[in-house]
Amino acid sequence: MPSENELIRVAVVGAAGRMGREVLRALTPQYGFKILVAVDRSCVGEHCRQLAGPEAPDLAVKDKLGAALDQSEVDVLVDFSHHSGAASHATSAMKRGVSPVIGCTGLSEADMGEIRSLTKELSVPAMYVPNFAIGAVLMMKFSQLAARWMPDAEIIELHHDRKEDAPSGTAILTAQLISESRTSDPVRLPRQVIKAEGARGGKVCDIPVHSVRLPGFLAHQQVIFGAPGEVLTLRHDSSDRQSFMQGVRLAAGTVKSLQGFVVGLDKILFRDA
Ligand code: NAD
């Protein structure tokens, strides 16, 4: 186990949420982390161990991020709250020299632009990771490879019914990567007769994306490549929130060594490739 002064000091926002509680259990000294700050707008004053069990830090949940960061020396902020607050949390962190690892999905281009320019202005690196599951990152990598030879693709993403944003951040990133990796144009479809609006999905980089929201799912995605006489399907399923924690540890442990604003865990997983 790393010694006390080697531990990466972490603040967690959205600590009382489903992902936040998982993070409270995952970023332990055993893995080289020490959580010093837990912030959420709900469960304020409650103890992290009451919320997340005995592996969680011995801390109470606070409600003001800036004040909490001023009271503790922290290296990294892990944000699993809501996309509407992510840019302001990142700004608050970076102004104090703390590197944000943003896990909330649904960040707008404007939010990302703001964070990107602050990373330059303040020389504090930051990450936005739409999907921390290693298998999902591999699915995106394999999709890039497939797109070089099979440019016709559609994406189906399936999530639990409490997910607000659609398409998912993973689906958007996958579509962007497929679009950048194609070496030939997809086949033009004949004129279509649409009998229910949205039946062909929403388009991201001209790739149809179909979003399913139902109880019973957690986070799943299928990328389907079609070519004359053959179909290739890549599918990833996260059936437990623990699937995201190895990626959260990787990002929180690496962000300080990066430059600028880095989007996607692939930039860490494949940085030597
Ligand atoms: P949740 O609703 O269970 O938890 C969110 C928590 O954040 C709640 O406790 C809420 O009170 C708190 N919160 C919201 N806005 C806040 C603010 N401005 N300040 C302080 N606290 C605030 O949601 P969840 O399922 O834990 O998901 C959280 C986010 O993580 C979502 O955006 C979701 O899409 C994303 N997510 C990302 C990944 C990934 O791999 N990147 C995986 C799963 C979920």
Side-chain angles (χ1 to χ4, degrees), residues 14 17-19 40-42 80-81 103-105 129-132 163:
R18 288 160 294 182
M19 287 297 287
D40 202 294
R41 64 180 174 201
S42 65
F80 276 108
S81 59
C104 329
T105 59
V129 181
N131 200 322
F132 284 100
K163 183 170 177 63

Side-chain angles (χ1 to χ4, degrees), residues 1-51:
M1 195 161 91
S3 66
E4 178 74 21
N5 55 11
E6 288 171 331
L7 298 176
I8 295 170
R9 298 160 300 179
V10 180
V12 181
V13 201
R18 288 160 294 182
M19 287 297 287
R21 292 177 198 219
E22 204 63 57
V23 172
L24 294 180
R25 289 187 282 269
L27 296 186
T28 58
Q30 184 197 349
Y31 290 103
F33 300 96
K34 184 168 189 179
I35 298 177
L36 295 178
V37 172
V39 171
D40 202 294
R41 64 180 174 201
S42 65
C43 302
V44 178
E46 281 192 44
H47 199 282
C48 290
R49 289 187 181 155
Q50 259 174 298
L51 295 170

Side-chain angles (χ1 to χ4, degrees), residues 176-193:
Q176 288 164 346
L177 294 171
I178 290 174
S179 165
E180 285 163 20
S181 305
R182 282 168 167 162
T183 55
S184 56
D185 290 335
V187 172
R188 295 233 169 272
L189 293 171
R191 197 176 71 81
Q192 295 177 60
V193 181

Side-chain angles (χ1 to χ4, degrees), residues 131-139 236 243-244 246-247 250 265 269:
N131 200 322
F132 284 100
I134 306 293
V137 182
L138 290 171
M139 172 190 61
H236 175 260
S243 62
F244 304 113
Q246 190 185 353
L250 259 173
L265 198 67
L269 290 185

